[in-house]
Amino acid sequence: MTRGKRAAGPASPAVTAFLEMMAAERGAAANTLAAYARDLAGAESVVGNLVEADAQALTGLAQSWADLAPASQARKISALRQFMAFAQDEGLREDDPSVALVRPRARRPLPRLLDHAEIARFLETAEADAAAGTPEGVRLLALVELLYGSGLRATELVSLPLTALPRDVPFLAITGKGGQQRLVPVSTRALAALRRWLAVRPGGSRHLFPSPRGGHLSRVRLFQLVRDLALRAGIDPEKVSPHVLRHAFATHLLEGGADLRVLQTLLGHADIATTEIYTHVDSARLVALVNEKHPLRHR
């Protein structure tokens, strides 16, 4: 039975042990661990110690999430299921009451898109800024060339260490979600922009894009810079973000004939299902491909 909601307190020892396991054994990223911690703390604020919660309590908890977006519900249920499986494996309880929870069918939204003309205006504006020779303009050109030219996530880009820079081959060494490492090709344009940035980049930091206050450029600041550039390029800034540029990279590669498995590797997706969203984005090209290549096209 559900209880009245109370203020979330410190995580229970079992939840703390679960988060430590996720970090040590599964290499969960910091953002993932923070999300699990919030979801499980929120659950405990309603039903109490999760190790003692029964199926009825969890069902009532799921009902309290009914007004949330399907993706949020699915994330919370996933956190509960993984915690309960951990508790069972560790002998903290004999049953797993989370098996009664039904994951909502979350329809993955299609990403916002920028067409080729908008991308061209966007990059031309960045090049004009960089032509003035200011460190800020040169840095911005390097940032957007890597976002669109290599499809990096915002976090991957701003946290790049100098050691990730290509030496003998045009590849960046990227550490992505869950500590997974991959090599990402760097275009000739992006390499040129990087060389210009290295020539004016301030020293004293191990990060490729250092912050004046120490550490590296923040994701929030990157978002602001990209939106400001879009405005100056005559593009609705609401349409543009670092993630939208990553989507444009993926969509335009697929339009050019890139293989979906190759695209999965470049984007650092653990699951091909995540990459398959781009087959919906580029559906017109796929229909044309079937009409052109299918053996029955002439019948």
Side-chain angles (χ1 to χ4, degrees):
M1 176 176 290
T2 56
R3 306 166 188 169
K5 186 171 182 178
R6 56 184 180 272
S12 65
V15 169
T16 300
F18 166 72
L19 295 173
E20 290 173 349
M21 180 277 294
M22 292 293 291
E25 297 182 16
R26 301 191 188 178
N31 289 346
T32 300
L33 292 173
Y36 283 154
R38 287 193 302 271
D39 290 338
L40 295 174
E44 290 197 319
S45 73
V46 176
V47 303
N49 192 331
L50 287 172
V51 171
E52 301 173 358
D54 57 18
Q56 184 180 1
L58 293 191
T59 301
L61 180 61
Q63 290 172 349
S64 73
W65 297 334
D67 292 334
L68 297 177
S72 297
Q73 294 180 49
R75 189 194 70 237
K76 290 176 182 293
I77 290 173
S78 175
L80 270 176
R81 284 182 170 175
Q82 292 189 66
F83 170 78
M84 288 300 179
F86 165 80
Q88 200 173 24
D89 289 343
E90 293 295 308
L92 300 176
R93 62 181 302 149
E94 295 181 355
D95 64 331
D96 179 358
S98 70
V99 295
L101 299 177
V102 178
R103 287 174 60 95
R105 293 180 63 85
R107 182 179 179 184
R108 188 184 296 270
L110 294 179
R112 295 176 180 175
L113 287 178
L114 293 176
D115 60 31
H116 292 272
E118 289 172 320
I119 285 290
R121 292 208 312 275
F122 189 80
L123 294 178
E124 286 167 2
T125 304
E127 289 166 354
D129 286 354
T134 65
E136 294 79 11
V138 174
R139 181 187 66 178
L140 182 56
L141 179 62
L143 288 166
V144 299
E145 285 286 358
L146 286 174
L147 283 171
Y148 177 66
S150 297
L152 302 185
R153 297 181 177 95
T155 300
E156 294 170 347
L157 176 59
V158 297
S159 62
L160 275 175
L162 280 171
T163 53
L165 287 176
R167 294 290 185 259
D168 301 325
V169 291
F171 287 90
L172 283 174
I174 303 296
T175 301
K177 288 186 176 181
Q180 297 297 314
Q181 296 186 329
R182 70 186 192 277
L183 291 177
V184 175
V186 184
S187 69
T188 302
R189 287 174 56 107
L191 278 175
L194 278 173
R195 293 192 188 101
R196 292 172 68 179
W197 166 236
L198 290 174
V200 298
R201 172 188 170 277
S205 173
R206 68 182 185 87
H207 295 290
L208 178 58
F209 299 105
S211 166
R213 294 177 296 279
H216 59 70
L217 186 73
S218 71
R219 290 188 303 168
V220 172
R221 184 58 183 147
L222 175 63
F223 183 91
Q224 292 170 339
L225 291 171
V226 167
R227 285 253 167 130
D228 181 66
L229 179 61
L231 187 63
R232 288 184 284 112
I235 302 169
D236 180 2
E238 294 298 318
K239 290 179 59 178
V240 186
S241 71
H243 207 57
V244 167
L245 293 176
R246 174 173 156 88
H247 285 316
F249 161 82
T251 304
H252 295 168
L253 269 184
L254 195 62
E255 287 176 354
D259 179 83
L260 203 61
R261 286 289 181 183
V262 171
L263 193 59
Q264 178 190 6
T265 301
L266 294 178
L267 294 172
H269 288 162
D271 189 344
I272 189 65
T274 308
T275 318
E276 285 173 347
I277 187 174
Y278 295 104
T279 64
H280 300 292
V281 172
D282 192 28
S283 57
R285 187 189 70 86
L286 294 176
V287 170
L289 185 64
V290 170
N291 289 335
E292 178 186 350
K293 302 297 184 181
H294 197 280
L296 296 180
R297 65 188 183 278
H298 296 307
R299 294 181 65 89

